[in-house]
Amino acid sequence: MSSLILAIESSCDETAASVIKNGREILSNVVSSQIDIHKKYGGVVPEIASRKHVEAIIPIINESLEASKVKLNELNAVAVTNGPGLIGSLLVGLSTAKSIAFSLDVPLIAVDHIEAHAYSVNIENNLNFPYIALVVSGGHTTLYLVNSYNSFELIGKTRDDAAGEAFDKGAKLLGLDYPGGIQIDRLSKEGKKDKYKFPRPFLKTDSFDFSFSGVKTSLVHFLKKHEITSNQDLSDVCASYQEAIAETLVEKTLRAAKQFSINDVAITGGVASNSRIRELAQKRFDQNNINLFIPDIKYCTDNAVMIAKLGHQKFENGEFSDLDIDVYSTKRSAYTRGKGFKNS
Ligand code: KG4
Ligand code: ZN
């Protein structure tokens, strides 16, 4: 069936829209970031984020339609993120999507943000199911066994901070700008990753859960005893800190692939843009003859193409949402393979 789907994403601090044709052709990918506004507060301020989404959403949708050369009344469906994320921000996207779907009398398709990240690897590739997907972003660190576009089995998640938070909070402690992940990545390129040793939590347990608050706390203690006096030393600290996060993520994901005998693995989400994680993952998965797929950076950080892509699968299968569907801030899924809280 020929289809034109508009997708909207507004779960955090990016207002994004995309139009996708027949589930494959990306006609537009528009992202408006609020980073410069939140930077001076050192993190995302939810109230400000909602207001900025209100200002941006219609212009961004119009820009996306214009870039696609598609008229509103040509759309066959509207896909939108309805969680997890900031409630006020999500409401802006969902209400807009509902209004468009209602006025055009086309289906509304609600999409889960984390599942869309896990599925985003299919924007540029076509993975066979099942595959393992690690979703690492500012708010989430989740390991899935993906059996199909609508079966994301939870096998591990963070018990406290997300990997992105470990980067952002660590960067703040080091006096770097928000969002810190990208700054740590940049400075680490000049640093020695083995200079200092930061903990690799849960690495030795057989649980696939993660915990990143301890890494951040260890940096707090380290900085109490250690004064950074040169740019080189700052780079060394960044590289060593980054290595602890990268190694934990990569080794646990590799172990999951081996345990479930899976040959295709995806690493997705904003933190998957990290150059060291990309490099280390490639090396370790190559050594183990497991195929690794990491999306292009523009599909790692928040975007609406991933919402469109998963939305299209739901469209094809007639999985539409009611117009009274609500937003949700957190995702509560149960472990399906019973490894979550064992042995740690
Ligand atoms: O997926 P995303 O855009 O938004 C959420 O759903 O949270 O992820 C944002 C996170 C932030 O924590 C940011 O610091 C991190 O991704 N990030 C990075 C890099 N680029 C973005 N972390 C490490 N290295 C990077 N190069
Ligand atoms: Zn995200």
Side-chain angles (χ1 to χ4, degrees):
M1 189 180 9
S2 155
S3 65
L4 281 170
I5 297 178
L6 167 71
I8 299 170
E9 154 64 41
S10 69
S11 64
C12 189
D13 58 347
E14 263 99 27
T15 321
S18 163
V19 177
I20 188 170
K21 187 176 176 183
N22 299 333
R24 280 185 309 275
E25 267 179 76
I26 299 159
L27 302 186
S28 62
N29 175 21
V30 184
V31 184
S32 160
S33 173
Q34 305 175 0
I35 281 178
D36 287 341
I37 298 156
H38 298 290
K39 214 178 225 168
K40 55 179 172 288
Y41 304 102
V44 178
V45 183
E47 184 61 33
I48 297 177
S50 317
R51 286 193 222 164
K52 292 292 158 192
H53 283 303
V54 171
E55 287 169 21
I57 195 113
I58 300 297
I60 291 301
I61 290 173
N62 284 338
E63 195 180 324
S64 169
L65 290 168
E66 276 162 29
S68 311
K69 300 193 172 41
V70 167
K71 294 194 185 63
L72 202 56
N73 63 10
E74 291 177 297
L75 295 173
N76 300 107
V78 184
V80 62
T81 310
N82 72 323
L86 302 170
I87 289 295
S89 296
L90 288 163
L91 276 171
V92 178
L94 183 62
S95 322
T96 310
K98 281 181 181 178
S99 316
I100 299 174
F102 178 71
S103 62
L104 297 176
D105 195 19
V106 297
L108 173 76
I109 300 167
V111 174
D112 181 276
H113 183 84
I114 313 181
E115 292 180 0
H117 271 304
Y119 197 74
S120 66
V121 67
N122 292 295
I123 298 170
E124 299 156 298
N125 291 283
N126 216 345
L127 266 68
N128 290 321
F129 297 115
Y131 65 87
I132 296 262
L134 172 70
V135 181
V136 265
S137 71
H140 316 282
T141 299
T142 312
L143 203 52
Y144 284 123
L145 183 61
V146 186
N147 297 307
S148 86
Y149 80 92
N150 66 357
S151 170
F152 295 83
E153 277 193 55
L154 179 69
I155 53 176
K157 66 178 162 75
T158 183
R159 297 190 188 179
D160 39 59
D161 288 354
E165 276 176 286
F167 272 110
D168 296 341
K169 290 177 180 175
K172 203 169 181 177
L173 291 167
L174 294 167
L176 306 171
D177 274 351
Y178 175 86
I182 203 155
Q183 313 289 347
I184 290 187
D185 191 351
R186 183 177 53 84
L187 290 167
S188 295
K189 292 198 169 102
E190 313 298 324
K192 292 185 213 71
K193 60 184 183 321
D194 304 323
K195 181 83 185 275
Y196 304 108
K197 186 85 182 164
F198 291 100
R200 275 85 165 141
F202 287 180
L203 197 55
K204 300 252 162 4
T205 73
D206 74 351
S207 159
F208 292 121
D209 274 353
F210 300 90
S211 165
F212 286 107
S213 69
V215 190
K216 177 198 64 195
T217 308
S218 75
L219 181 61
V220 173
H221 292 309
F222 174 83
L223 292 173
K224 277 185 191 152
K225 287 183 285 180
H226 180 100
E227 196 186 344
I228 297 175
T229 49
S230 69
N231 287 340
Q232 182 58 53
D233 195 37
L234 177 61
S235 291
D236 293 344
V237 175
C238 284
S240 305
Y241 185 74
Q242 172 176 273
E243 193 66 10
I245 301 172
E247 198 183 310
T248 308
L249 292 172
V250 171
E251 293 306 325
K252 288 208 131 187
T253 308
L254 182 60
R255 182 139 30 92
K258 286 184 185 167
Q259 178 157 332
F260 293 106
S261 306
I262 300 290
N263 271 322
D264 296 317
V265 172
I267 303 186
T268 65
V271 177
S273 336
N274 182 271
S275 57
R276 177 61 187 153
I277 292 174
R278 294 173 92 96
E279 177 188 58
L280 181 65
Q282 196 63 61
K283 179 175 145 205
R284 295 290 291 131
F285 281 82
D286 281 353
Q287 283 170 347
N288 287 275
N289 291 321
I290 296 174
N291 304 318
L292 175 70
F293 300 87
I294 306 182
D296 187 272
I297 289 177
K298 64 177 176 293
Y299 302 131
C300 285
T301 47
D302 283 351
N303 65 89
V305 179
M306 65 183 192
I307 307 301
K309 190 78 190 171
L310 187 51
H312 174 260
Q313 288 302 318
K314 291 175 179 251
F315 178 76
E316 291 269 278
N317 289 281
E319 284 180 37
F320 307 148
S321 308
D322 291 334
L323 284 175
D324 63 356
I325 193 167
D326 212 346
V327 297
Y328 53 95
S329 61
T330 43
K331 187 173 171 69
R332 292 194 183 83
S333 6
Y335 291 95
T336 44
R337 301 284 170 139
K339 281 282 173 197
F341 289 93
K342 212 179 137 200
N343 198 19
S344 49

